[in-house]
Amino acid sequence: MSDETKVTQEYGAEQIQVLEGLEAVRKRPGMYIGSTSSTGLHHLVYEIVDNSIDEALAGYCKHITVTINPGNSITVTDDGRGIPVDIQAQTGKPALEVVFTVLHAGGKFGGGGYKVSGGLHGVGASVVNALSEWLTVRVHKNGLIHEMKFSRGHITQEMKIVGKTQRTGTEVTFQPDPEMFDTLEYEYEILHERMREEAFLNAGLSITITDDRDDEKQISETMCYEGGIREFAVWCNRHKNPIHEEVIYMAGTKGDASAEVAVQYNDGYQDFMLSFANDVRTPEGGMHETGFKTALTRVLNNYGMKNGIIKGDDKVSGDDCREGITAIISVKLTDAQFEGQTKAKLGNAYIRTLVDQIVSDQLATFFEEHPQIAKLILEKAMMANRAREAARKARESIRRKTGLESGQMPDKLQDCNERDPSLCEIYIVEGDSAAGSAIQGRDSRFQAILAMWGKMLNVEKARADKIYGNDKLYPLIVALGAGIGDEFDIEKLRYHKVIIMSDADVDGAHIRTLLLTFFFRYMRPLIEHGYVYSAVPPLYKLKRGKTERVAYSDEQRDQVSAEMRGDSGAKVDISRFKGLGEMDPHELWETTMDPETRTLRRITLEDARRADEIFTILMGEQVEPRKEWIERNAKYAINIDI
């Protein structure tokens, strides 16, 4: 470093900032809830609900309610023991106050409050408090109602008794702080899905989710599943065709740790595994998933060889064994070691041994008692093995035919000049017309364009060997350069922004869903690393004289129109864009491709999962789920004739 570029400011004690109390949370909210986007907003609810779930795990809570109130405040109530209200010895303050104002305070650190807990770090209630414009907690305990109020982590009302009660439990109502979050709008379906998961994972626990924001129509559902994760597996396969009706259920304990696994195969080609530790979903898996996968592969191979179905060295791989599987893995343990506050991966090594042992013993027994089911599953795995070999041959054949090894790019790709992947982006554009405008309007230094045309392959119903030979998908695979499936290598990816740019209509949504499903199934690391985006093209063009503006929603159209009319009430011509292809290159650049002005939506795994489920419904073989979905969503179809 040259003398000119050195920082000359002294680094002394005055540069060290000490954040008191909950200030650290407000300073760096992402460290505690992941982000300040919609994901973080919903995470606030999960943190409070997790505390109620802990009461259920301890055997004291039977019913939890979650209500979205008018104005997007949230109320969570339970019928557990109620947060302690007596004086906490270390601080000399009421325990209720400590729980809501001190980080890492709670009954989850060996004090005998809880044996197992999802709220591992003891920060849930205090973090929600810190990030709320206001929060009110009421505790029903010992025949009295104790109440405290807060604002942005600070006490606005000391704990006081406000009434008498015949029940026990805790009620928390909070309003997320607009200073902290990008959006304050809760999505009922996101919360509904999470609460349904919790109900499945805690057999017999009743959870009610209610949306009270609409004066005319309240939405509410109470969920209780006595069958627990058995019913969860059946629910996950509800739009698929199971190859065996009976769910394979395995469970066991060792010391304070317990594990349960539910498995049901369908006739599809994808695996669907959900794993949880202390009711917290672990999207990146961990030791419990590793133990399950290892045992499943070993048991299937041992059964096949013992019964003469597998001969010689024709063993099936782990991927083969998991083709078409739906598996729910739920473990409970006292000292759960998660990676990060958002708890994406479980790290306890001993839980791998426990799950491995349970599955090894109980699955082998199940196969002996149900030879027909065992044979169906094993035959499916062996067929997957043969298809994998066919895919390898197809891959090698195509490499020879297309000169892939020499780096030859597809004809439909207009590449960029930059070679640093972190600076490059590729637009996947629907149709030659839109691609033509995009090519003319782009910045060729760092923007590549790949035209897609015609109907894409339904990857839900195809194995990898069919995908390599598909004339729609293969150019995309070659252009990205990272392979697919188990061969996918993120280090070889040629662009760190993969942008789906399709029309803002039904066909465009279909294209996006097909591509998302393909990425989700065969290039999942793309989504996990945050490299997949959806472009947001404008819906309307507004013109008054020589002044032109665009709008990206109906609300923005009305707002812009009012601004352009002004006090004079001049006429504003409003037209809806028919598609990307009708935009001039400069229009496409200014509205959808210019990094300074465009809007991109980053696709997350949750987006992909939702798209995948919708795709299964709309493109699958079952008619009834498709009919139900269309009837339920028909009311949202507006402007279809414009």
Side-chain angles (χ1 to χ4, degrees):
M1 183 185 289
S2 68
D3 290 338
E4 287 78 16
T5 58
K6 284 182 181 176
V7 177
T8 57
Q9 182 180 349
E10 290 294 329
Y11 182 48
E14 64 273 12
Q15 271 77 51
I16 303 297
Q17 184 179 17
V18 178
L19 299 176
E20 297 290 339
L22 298 179
E23 291 176 37
V25 181
R26 293 182 64 81
K27 192 79 172 176
R28 297 282 185 272
M31 288 178 59
Y32 299 89
I33 58 168
S35 75
T36 55
S37 65
S38 174
T39 303
L41 182 76
H42 291 80
H43 192 83
L44 295 183
V45 184
Y46 309 153
E47 288 286 359
I48 298 297
V49 170
D50 279 351
N51 292 337
S52 297
I53 293 291
D54 290 338
E55 278 289 279
L57 292 175
Y60 296 101
C61 174
K62 299 297 182 188
H63 190 202
I64 299 169
T65 67
V66 178
T67 305
I68 312 173
N69 304 309
N72 282 286
S73 67
I74 296 286
T75 299
V76 178
T77 66
D78 66 55
D79 59 357
R81 292 169 292 182
I83 297 171
V85 293
D86 49 337
I87 299 300
Q88 200 265 344
Q90 284 174 279
T91 61
K93 297 177 179 178
L96 179 62
E97 177 182 331
V98 175
V99 166
F100 277 88
T101 58
V102 179
L103 285 175
H104 307 292
K108 307 169 185 180
F109 300 102
Y114 298 100
K115 272 193 171 183
V116 297
S117 166
L120 170 73
H121 297 73
V123 302
S126 55
V127 164
V128 175
N129 192 15
L131 299 177
S132 294
E133 184 177 4
W134 54 263
L135 180 147
T136 299
V137 55
R138 286 188 165 193
V139 177
H140 294 248
K141 198 177 184 75
N142 304 324
L144 300 171
I145 304 172
H146 299 76
E147 182 184 80
M148 276 196 84
K149 294 183 178 181
F150 307 86
S151 177
R152 299 184 169 100
H154 299 289
I155 300 170
T156 56
Q157 177 189 298
E158 299 285 350
M159 187 180 79
K160 69 177 185 180
I161 295 170
V162 295
K164 295 183 178 181
T165 182
Q166 297 296 315
R167 68 178 187 89
T168 62
T170 302
E171 175 187 298
V172 178
T173 301
F174 65 91
Q175 177 75 57
D177 191 347
E179 295 177 4
M180 292 284 104
F181 292 95
D182 305 332
T183 176
L184 298 177
E185 188 75 20
Y186 277 104
E187 289 188 42
Y188 174 79
E189 277 307 319
I190 291 177
L191 294 177
H192 185 198
E193 181 181 343
R194 176 64 176 250
M195 295 310 113
R196 183 170 51 227
E197 271 183 10
E198 298 285 12
F200 277 128
L201 292 166
N202 296 275
L205 174 65
S206 174
I207 301 180
T208 299
I209 171 87
T210 302
D211 189 344
D212 260 345
R213 290 173 295 185
D214 189 333
D215 293 336
E216 297 179 2
K217 184 181 180 184
Q218 181 194 70
I219 305 171
S220 187
E221 182 175 347
T222 297
M223 296 158 287
C224 183
Y225 305 102
E226 295 295 342
I229 65 170
R230 294 179 185 86
E231 290 190 55
F232 201 170
V234 172
W235 186 86
C236 290
N237 273 337
R238 70 198 184 284
H239 300 311
K240 298 180 170 68
N241 298 312
I243 64 173
H244 56 97
E245 288 299 319
E246 184 176 352
V247 175
I248 305 170
Y249 178 77
M250 299 156 277
T253 61
K254 185 175 182 180
D256 286 337
S258 65
E260 56 176 344
V261 180
V263 171
Q264 188 184 47
Y265 281 84
N266 59 68
D267 62 1
Y269 304 129
Q270 317 302 332
D271 68 280
F272 184 77
M273 295 177 60
L274 287 177
S275 64
F276 301 83
N278 294 353
D279 287 355
V280 176
R281 189 193 285 189
T282 44
E284 295 176 21
M287 291 298 178
H288 48 340
E289 277 196 22
T290 302
F292 169 73
K293 291 176 180 178
T294 303
L296 175 70
T297 306
R298 184 172 59 246
V299 171
L300 272 171
N301 278 298
N302 288 347
Y303 183 87
M305 289 186 288
K306 178 182 175 182
N307 291 277
I309 303 172
I310 294 177
K311 296 179 174 62
D313 295 326
D314 294 334
K315 288 186 175 182
V316 287
S317 71
D319 286 336
D320 300 331
C321 294
R322 295 190 297 275
E323 183 179 280
I325 197 173
T326 293
I328 313 295
I329 305 158
S330 178
V331 298
K332 308 277 172 62
L333 60 167
T334 53
D335 58 339
Q337 297 167 11
F338 295 102
E339 293 185 6
Q341 165 63 9
T342 49
K343 306 159 191 165
K345 192 173 184 179
L346 183 67
N348 300 72
Y350 72 85
I351 210 73
R352 177 183 61 199
T353 306
L354 175 60
V355 174
D356 188 316
Q357 183 180 350
I358 291 168
V359 175
S360 294
D361 294 344
Q362 297 180 30
L363 186 59
T365 301
F366 182 91
F367 283 170
E368 292 295 337
E369 295 173 352
H370 303 80
Q372 286 300 108
I373 294 177
K375 188 179 179 184
L376 280 171
I377 294 172
L378 193 52
E379 285 177 348
K380 184 170 179 58
M382 293 174 71
M383 194 178 297
N385 183 274
R386 291 191 289 271
R388 204 172 301 281
E389 178 62 20
R392 185 186 63 79
K393 291 178 179 177
R395 196 160 54 235
E396 291 176 354
S397 171
I398 289 170
R399 277 174 176 159
R400 288 194 297 271
K401 289 177 184 175
T402 62
L404 175 59
E405 300 296 349
S406 64
Q408 180 178 330
M409 289 292 109
D411 294 338
K412 290 286 184 180
L413 174 69
Q414 290 291 321
D415 212 349
C416 56
N417 301 323
E418 178 61 58
R419 287 296 171 259
D420 180 352
S422 66
L423 302 176
C424 296
E425 49 190 54
I426 182 171
Y427 277 84
I428 304 168
V429 186
E430 172 194 1
D432 287 338
S433 175
S437 292
I439 290 166
Q440 292 179 59
R442 68 171 176 156
D443 187 330
S444 60
R445 291 176 302 159
F446 63 94
Q447 291 180 324
I449 309 294
L450 178 68
M452 298 285 285
W453 74 103
K455 187 179 178 182
M456 273 180 55
L457 177 70
N458 180 349
V459 297
E460 192 73 14
K461 301 177 182 178
R463 285 193 172 101
D465 54 323
K466 302 295 183 186
I467 290 170
Y468 272 106
N470 184 263
D471 62 345
K472 306 293 188 298
L473 287 175
Y474 190 69
L476 175 59
I477 298 169
V478 176
L480 296 182
I484 65 169
D486 53 7
E487 280 196 341
F488 186 85
D489 183 356
I490 198 76
E491 297 298 321
K492 294 181 179 177
L493 184 65
R494 300 180 64 241
Y495 313 90
H496 282 190
K497 274 194 173 73
V498 180
I499 304 166
I500 302 169
M501 186 162 71
S502 57
D503 290 339
D505 58 13
V506 173
D507 289 338
H510 188 201
I511 292 286
R512 281 195 302 278
T513 303
L514 287 165
L515 279 168
L516 281 183
T517 304
F518 172 61
F519 290 147
F520 181 61
R521 293 302 194 193
Y522 292 98
M523 296 182 174
R524 192 172 300 189
L526 269 185
I527 301 173
E528 291 172 342
H529 284 75
Y531 291 160
V532 181
Y533 297 81
S534 176
V536 183
L539 289 176
Y540 299 99
K541 179 194 287 187
L542 297 89
K543 191 172 182 179
R544 177 190 166 189
K546 294 184 178 180
T547 303
E548 291 186 359
R549 291 176 65 181
V550 296
Y552 293 85
S553 66
D554 290 357
E555 292 77 13
Q556 190 179 23
R557 173 201 62 195
D558 296 340
Q559 178 187 340
V560 171
S561 176
E563 291 173 3
M564 293 179 74
R565 282 198 305 272
D567 296 334
S568 63
K571 183 183 178 185
V572 176
D573 293 320
I574 303 174
S575 59
R576 186 179 176 104
F577 284 108
K578 298 292 185 185
L580 298 168
E582 75 169 24
M583 287 192 192
D584 295 332
H586 75 88
E587 277 184 324
L588 196 56
W589 164 256
E590 290 170 2
T591 63
T592 318
M593 300 181 71
D594 182 356
E596 296 296 321
T597 56
R598 71 187 178 189
T599 299
L600 293 181
R601 178 173 176 243
R602 175 176 274 158
I603 304 301
T604 66
L605 269 181
E606 284 304 310
D607 295 323
R609 281 198 183 94
R610 216 167 290 145
D612 166 59
E613 181 175 340
I614 293 171
F615 182 70
T616 302
I617 293 171
L618 296 182
M619 301 299 289
E621 295 174 356
Q622 296 188 15
V623 175
E624 196 57 36
R626 177 162 56 247
K627 181 181 175 185
E628 288 176 8
W629 190 92
I630 291 170
E631 288 175 351
R632 190 169 65 249
N633 290 276
K635 59 180 177 292
Y636 298 119
I638 56 173
N639 297 331
I640 55 176
D641 296 321
I642 293 180

